[in-house]
Amino acid sequence: QLQVAESGGGLVQPGGSLRLSCAASGFTLDYYAVGWFRQAPGKEREGVSCISSSHGSTAYADSVKGRFTISTDNAKNTVYLQMNSLKPEDTAIYYCAPVGLAVLPCNFHRQLFDSWGQGTQVTVSS
C-alpha cells in the first residue's frame, strides 16, 4: 500500500524557515517521483515542487522558486522541502504524493493517485 506521512509544519514568522518531511512507505523514491502540494484557505490545491530521484531532476512553482528546496534521503525513503524566507501567502496545508515515475522528469500539476493524506499545516504569521 502506497503511503506518505507529512510532518514538520508549524507556526513561523514572516522571513522564517521550516523543513517539511515526507516519509514514504510502500514504494521507494527510486521508483516514484514525489511532489509537494499545498492548499490555502479558500483556494484550490496547487503544486509547489517535485523531485525525480532516478532522473535527477527537480521542479518548482514560480511562487516558491529561489526560496524552497526539495531533496531526498533515499536511505530513509524521505522527501524534504526546505522552506526559507517564508511569506504569509505560503500559509497552507502541505501535502506530498507520488506524481510519476522517478526515471522521468517530474511535474507537480497532478498526482498519480487520487488520494490525499492529512498533510501538515504551515502558518506564516506575525
Side-chain angles (χ1 to χ4, degrees):
Q1 183 178 0
L2 302 181
Q3 295 271 20
V4 293
E6 302 95 339
S7 62
L11 174 64
V12 296
Q13 295 183 339
S17 298
L18 283 174
R19 189 176 79 158
L20 306 184
S21 296
C22 172
S25 61
F27 69 97
T28 69
L29 301 180
D30 291 330
Y31 192 79
Y32 283 130
V34 171
W36 283 97
F37 304 80
R38 67 186 182 186
Q39 187 165 23
K43 299 183 65 177
E44 295 184 354
R45 184 179 292 107
E46 64 175 347
V48 175
S49 182
C50 64
I51 184 166
S52 293
S53 294
S54 296
H55 189 264
S57 62
T58 60
Y60 299 92
D62 289 341
S63 59
V64 307
K65 194 171 299 182
R67 300 188 298 120
F68 291 9
T69 303
I70 191 169
S71 63
T72 64
D73 185 335
N74 286 20
K76 297 181 178 179
N77 218 35
T78 299
V79 182
Y80 302 99
L81 186 67
Q82 179 66 47
M83 306 185 296
N84 299 325
S85 302
L86 284 163
K87 306 174 181 179
E89 64 192 55
D90 296 318
T91 296
I93 302 176
Y94 283 71
Y95 305 87
C96 62
V99 295
L101 297 177
V103 296
L104 302 174
C106 70
N107 73 79
F108 45 75
H109 301 299
R110 51 171 167 76
Q111 62 173 359
L112 277 180
F113 311 104
D114 190 19
S115 179
W116 298 97
Q118 66 179 20
T120 185
Q121 176 71 51
V122 172
T123 303
V124 185
S125 176
S126 60

